[in-house]
Amino acid sequence: MKFVPFFLLAVCAFAADVTGNWVVSQPMNDGTVRKTYFNLKLEGSQASGNIRTGQFNYSVKEITGGPDGYTIQAGLMDGHSERKATYEAKLVGDELHITTRGRNGAPGPEMIAHRAPEGEGAYPKPVPPPALHKVPDNGLVRTPPMGWNSWNKFHGRVDDAAVRGMADAMASNGMKEAGYLYVNIDDTWEGERDAQGNIQSNKKFPDMKALADYVHSKGLKLGIYSSPGPNTCAGYEGSYEHELQDAKTYAAWGIDYLKYDWCSARNLYTDEEMQAVYQKMGDALRAAGRPIVYSLCQYGRADVWKWGPEVGGNLWRTTGDISDRWQSMSGIGFDKQLELTPYARPGHWNDPDMLEIGNGGMSDDEYRTHMSLWSILAAPLLAGNDLRDMSQSIKDILENHEVIAIDQDKLGKEGHRVSKEGDQEIWVRDLAGGAKAVGLFNRGADAAKISVKWADIGEKAPKKVRDLWAHQDVPSHGAEYSATVPSHGVILLRVGK
Ligand code: GLA
């Protein structure tokens, strides 16, 4: 036998050890098992493979280190930018102990990986997207949808009892009378597929059909959530390669609304292919034969407002996720919708994301701004708080019938900004019958006087001017209206007829 230096032997043995398909199995309290796959290959200094974790499928770029531990660098293309991930891993007997290195360098909790058969957890290949055609309008939501969604407040903690509780509350606390109709379950309801590939709900939702029946018995409608990719954003089962089957399941359960979230579809398709991918579910919902509102959630990429209606979409998210902070809400509402006004129309709405009103991170003035701005934007009003437990002031905001009437105006024309002077902005929305909603917004840190000249908004001498938060008419004579607006607050007027 030829002499092989000892250090080379050591390197070869080391390399062979980390190479392989590793799986981390994490039982969840909803009865599902979260699997993360590390498919690693190290030949000499050449690293390859992929890491499949939740909604992400990273390509392995580099594996470095020695017997004391490896550093694994991985990345994926997300739209037009690269998302990177770094892991530290060490072999301990037959196991690979792995920690994520966060952006700030701090390690995450340790994961224990075991060897899995080659091919298990392999990422599916992209099915070529269909040719484009126009999906006929489903005729739903001629005014922006109103209801509730579980994500902002509950994230993964939503279950059957919470949804029933929300339906009970909505039906009895004035929300239903105010127009709120859809009770929407967001991510984390999904279980595994059965032997025929039918999607099942997980332990948190023992019987989806019974839940739909219950919600319907309250005169309300039930919504659900999925992804065109293999996994949802929270890592649950998506609808990839099961689009029609899932649409039929939703129809059989009695589902009335689907939020369809791009998430892991990013691993298979480019932004340019998005329209065709969304069209597939638009067709599937139509084929399933039940009227189901189709909500596109892909964070406003690929100019979705230009093609949303073509794929049968009733609403489309215009930005990334909202959070319960003034910076987030005001940035989305004031700054990111400016160019999108022309695209909203009955049945097809820009969606600046769900409401945070009542979640505790903003003041009542800020929540009144949130409600007023969303109404001027003809945005969906999907409450995101716990409806079972609302203070009177939050109820007064969410259930303000006069403000809701602006949102639900039949003309279906989105409002726009007509002036901006520093932190003070005036927004106007044209309403059916010739009236106008006028919002005087103060984004500044101090109270400020804001004046609107009627001539500047195309009014001569309005017959009637009403303050929709004060619930009273205000003097309409003269050429303008002036008011002191609190910091981060709003005066919302209905002007004209
Ligand atoms: C994305 C969406 C959110 C929510 C979560 C659920 O982040 O934009 O609105 O649906 O996924 O995982």
Side-chain angles (χ1 to χ4, degrees):
M1 197 183 121
K2 246 174 96 183
F3 172 74
V4 180
F6 174 72
F7 74 89
L8 213 65
L9 265 180
V11 168
C12 293
F14 174 64
D17 278 344
V18 77
T19 292
N21 192 24
W22 300 91
V23 62
V24 179
S25 296
Q26 189 194 350
M28 310 285 280
N29 58 10
D30 54 32
T32 59
V33 178
R34 175 59 48 84
K35 292 199 170 165
T36 306
Y37 288 93
F38 292 80
N39 193 292
L40 308 173
K41 197 164 184 186
L42 185 61
E43 292 171 306
S45 62
Q46 257 330 89
S48 58
N50 69 306
I51 299 170
R52 180 175 184 180
T53 170
Q55 59 169 315
F56 301 116
N57 184 36
Y58 291 99
S59 298
V60 173
K61 303 271 161 138
E62 192 181 73
I63 303 178
T64 52
D68 292 340
Y70 305 96
T71 298
I72 305 167
Q73 304 280 2
L76 65 86
M77 284 312 290
D78 185 4
H80 299 286
S81 62
E82 194 184 20
R83 177 185 287 267
K84 293 182 178 160
T86 305
Y87 296 89
E88 309 287 355
K90 60 174 183 262
L91 283 160
V92 181
D94 293 342
E95 298 170 348
L96 191 63
H97 291 200
I98 307 171
T99 50
T100 319
R101 203 198 290 157
R103 287 221 174 90
N104 57 5
E110 190 171 72
M111 298 180 275
I112 312 276
H114 295 98
R115 288 192 184 274
E118 204 45 49
E120 188 187 300
Y123 216 77
K125 298 266 170 294
V127 173
L132 293 179
H133 65 90
K134 182 168 170 39
V135 179
D137 187 350
N138 60 16
L140 300 170
V141 291
R142 298 297 102 176
T143 60
M146 292 178 66
W148 174 86
N149 174 291
S150 59
W151 187 253
N152 285 355
K153 171 79 185 177
F154 292 90
H155 297 265
R157 295 181 310 278
V158 62
D159 60 10
D160 180 277
V163 173
R164 283 173 193 252
M166 234 47 75
D168 292 343
M170 204 189 266
S172 60
N173 68 6
M175 291 290 281
K176 183 179 159 190
E177 283 68 31
Y180 295 87
L181 179 64
Y182 292 94
V183 180
N184 292 350
I185 307 166
D186 207 279
D187 206 351
T188 78
W189 65 267
E190 309 86 344
E192 334 250 272
R193 293 187 181 276
D194 70 12
Q196 286 72 47
N198 296 309
I199 188 71
Q200 302 169 100
S201 46
N202 63 39
K203 259 177 30 194
K204 295 191 300 169
F205 292 91
D207 187 340
M208 211 46 113
K209 168 95 176 68
L211 179 57
D213 290 346
Y214 184 79
V215 171
H216 293 158
S217 77
K218 299 272 159 185
L220 300 168
K221 293 182 181 290
L222 186 65
I224 213 164
Y225 165 101
S226 190
S227 170
N231 296 97
T232 66
C233 288
Y236 287 77
E237 188 71 22
S239 291
Y240 184 63
E241 291 189 289
H242 294 277
E243 292 82 0
L244 182 56
Q245 193 174 16
D246 286 359
K248 286 182 176 163
T249 302
Y250 304 151
W253 284 343
I255 298 295
D256 307 293
Y257 186 117
L258 172 68
K259 173 174 167 184
Y260 206 45
D261 196 347
W262 189 239
C263 309
S264 63
R266 63 158 66 78
N267 303 313
L268 298 170
Y269 297 110
T270 62
D271 280 14
E272 289 65 35
E273 292 168 311
M274 243 180 212
Q275 179 174 350
V277 173
Y278 273 94
Q279 174 188 296
K280 208 168 182 182
M281 185 51 98
D283 280 334
L285 291 175
R286 192 173 152 76
R290 183 180 170 86
I292 296 180
V293 174
Y294 188 27
S295 157
L296 317 185
C297 176
Q298 40 78 290
Y299 336 117
R301 276 153 58 160
D303 290 348
V304 59
W305 34 87
K306 295 187 179 156
W307 52 262
E310 300 289 306
V311 302
N314 295 111
L315 59 155
W316 46 84
R317 278 273 297 279
T318 56
T319 68
D321 291 8
I322 196 168
S323 67
D324 187 19
R325 290 177 304 114
W326 166 255
Q327 289 307 339
S328 164
M329 183 279 288
S330 62
I332 290 176
F334 288 115
D335 301 328
K336 299 206 177 130
Q337 315 301 316
L338 294 171
E339 313 291 320
L340 312 184
T341 310
Y343 298 99
R345 58 182 187 274
H348 310 286
W349 308 103
N350 289 311
D351 173 11
D353 210 353
M354 303 163 301
L355 301 174
E356 291 284 7
I357 296 167
N359 281 335
M362 289 185 253
S363 68
D364 285 357
D365 275 324
E366 293 171 336
Y367 286 143
R368 274 188 281 274
T369 292
H370 193 357
M371 187 77 183
S372 305
L373 189 52
W374 262 235
S375 295
I376 286 183
L377 292 170
L381 296 180
L382 295 168
N385 59 323
D386 190 342
L387 305 179
R388 299 166 302 186
D389 176 25
M390 287 201 280
S391 68
Q392 190 56 47
S393 63
I394 292 303
K395 236 190 232 181
D396 290 344
I397 296 172
L398 282 171
E399 297 181 6
N400 184 325
H401 288 233
E402 299 192 71
V403 176
I404 291 171
I406 303 298
D407 182 75
Q408 295 292 299
D409 183 77
K410 293 279 178 290
L411 195 59
K413 231 178 146 204
E414 182 170 330
H416 61 286
R417 186 168 76 191
V418 294
S419 79
K420 176 171 172 65
E421 282 175 36
D423 288 326
Q424 280 79 55
E425 301 191 6
I426 300 179
W427 288 65
V428 173
R429 178 173 173 184
D430 291 336
L431 304 172
K436 286 186 169 72
V438 180
L440 313 182
F441 293 97
N442 176 14
R443 298 174 69 174
D446 301 307
K449 190 173 162 204
I450 306 184
S451 303
V452 54
K453 290 196 180 59
W454 301 134
D456 289 349
I457 62 162
E459 286 286 325
K460 284 201 184 97
K463 285 204 189 67
K464 184 173 157 137
V465 180
R466 187 163 172 83
D467 180 327
L468 304 186
W469 287 111
H471 297 293
Q472 64 189 23
D473 292 353
V474 295
S476 60
H477 48 78
E480 63 175 44
Y481 180 76
S482 295
T484 299
V485 184
S487 160
H488 294 184
V490 60
I491 301 271
L492 185 62
L493 305 172
R494 188 186 176 98
V495 177
K497 321 283 177 264

